[in-house]
Amino acid sequence: MDLHALLAEASTILDAAVEPFVAGHRADSAVRKKGNDFATQVDLAIERQVVAALQAATGIGVHGEEFGGTPVDSPWVWVLDPIDGTFNYAAGSPMAAILLGLLHDGEPVAGLTWIPFTDDRYTAVAEGPLVKNGVAQPSLTHTPLAEGLIGVGTFNADSRGRFPGRYRLAVLERLSRVSSRLRMHGSTGIDLVYVADGILAGAVYFGGQVWDHAAGIAQVRAAGGTVSDLAGRPWTPASRSVLAAAPGAYEEILEILRSAGRPEDY
């Protein structure tokens, strides 16, 4: 596969989705999902539009957040989140994005993150570099955790599940002792690409699915950062957590996560 050619095709297709994305800002819930999650009518329409265009232009199947599609364990598959940060989008926050990753045998080999309200477009293929608005960005350098911003996912302190709320609070408490610059943007994809762009030194997410992670993981790796799950294991499409960071910060955050103990002990 010519990854650069595929990226160019996909970029044109995401550009065509920007107008309906912007026009639908503050859209109401259309479909209720698990817990208090939901999808707007814009999510559904953009996914239909992008899936049809991608399959026609590239011949590669697509797995989308809202409708599923081609299995993620296929040799080649696009994974799409039509609106990452749906709560932000519906509330009127600009922190929402279109995420598109390309998996080859389960590995993210290309990523596109479109942030329409800031007019930023990020792309990357496996060998790098990260490209922002058509301009190649410098590779990440060693970044001490104390000197950087840290993105963290949203949560309920009383929640249970794989990463209980009390465990998450313990991790944030430990992170705050090293860096008082924690940020909760409410968009996994934006946090991951901000790590790739050097805006954040690292990002810690206690959940998410392959469509939340894939684009940003390709971008962080292309920029010279490190990605794993929260236990430090290699990320796979089945992972339900992600740690992404610049060199130096990654090792520090992983040590903090380990110092917090096992999630099941909370």
Side-chain angles (χ1 to χ4, degrees), residues 167-206:
Y167 167 77
R168 302 182 192 203
L169 277 176
V171 170
L172 297 190
E173 179 183 350
R174 285 165 170 76
L175 284 170
S176 73
R177 292 193 176 114
V178 180
S179 173
S180 61
R181 303 176 180 89
L182 303 182
R183 300 291 183 266
M184 193 175 286
H185 295 129
S187 165
T188 309
I190 290 178
D191 275 358
L192 290 175
V193 80
Y194 277 5
V195 171
D197 196 20
I199 296 168
L200 297 175
V204 176
Y205 269 81
F206 302 98

Side-chain angles (χ1 to χ4, degrees), residues 37 46-47 54 83 105 140 153 170 184 205 213 258 264-265:
D37 197 9
I46 289 178
E47 183 162 319
L54 274 174
I83 301 180
D105 293 333
L140 297 174
M184 193 175 286
Y205 269 81
H213 298 163
R258 288 172 172 165
E264 53 268 31
D265 292 338

Side-chain angles (χ1 to χ4, degrees), residues 24-32 38-43 86 89-90:
H25 206 199
R26 297 201 167 192
D28 292 330
S29 168
V31 177
R32 283 283 165 187
F38 63 88
T40 69
Q41 197 63 48
V42 186
D43 288 87
T86 303
Y89 184 83

Side-chain angles (χ1 to χ4, degrees), residues 73-257:
D73 60 358
S74 301
W76 290 91
V77 60
W78 296 102
V79 287
L80 170 68
D81 189 342
I83 301 180
D84 181 55
T86 303
F87 277 95
N88 290 348
Y89 184 83
S93 165
M95 300 302 286
I98 306 172
L99 309 180
L100 181 64
L102 180 63
L103 299 182
H104 176 46
D105 293 333
E107 286 296 316
V109 295
L112 302 92
T113 300
W114 260 226
I115 313 176
F117 299 119
T118 62
D119 201 25
D120 286 322
R121 293 163 169 80
Y122 289 95
T123 63
V125 297
E127 66 268 22
L130 177 72
V131 176
K132 178 182 181 180
N133 299 327
V135 179
Q137 302 301 295
S139 296
L140 297 174
T141 58
H142 187 277
T143 304
L145 185 59
E147 296 178 8
L149 304 177
I150 310 301
V152 295
T154 56
F155 67 95
N156 176 339
D158 292 327
S159 66
R160 300 302 303 166
R162 185 179 292 105
F163 299 103
R166 298 296 167 182
Y167 167 77
R168 302 182 192 203
L169 277 176
V171 170
L172 297 190
E173 179 183 350
R174 285 165 170 76
L175 284 170
S176 73
R177 292 193 176 114
V178 180
S179 173
S180 61
R181 303 176 180 89
L182 303 182
R183 300 291 183 266
M184 193 175 286
H185 295 129
S187 165
T188 309
I190 290 178
D191 275 358
L192 290 175
V193 80
Y194 277 5
V195 171
D197 196 20
I199 296 168
L200 297 175
V204 176
Y205 269 81
F206 302 98
Q209 303 282 346
V210 60
W211 50 78
D212 300 302
H213 298 163
I217 286 172
Q219 292 160 340
V220 171
R221 289 175 174 172
T226 302
V227 182
S228 68
D229 69 8
L230 296 190
R233 298 178 297 244
W235 182 91
T236 74
S239 296
R240 294 296 175 264
S241 65
V242 64
L243 163 60
Y250 174 84
E251 291 76 13
E252 289 189 67
I253 296 173
L254 185 58
E255 182 58 34
I256 287 170
L257 287 164

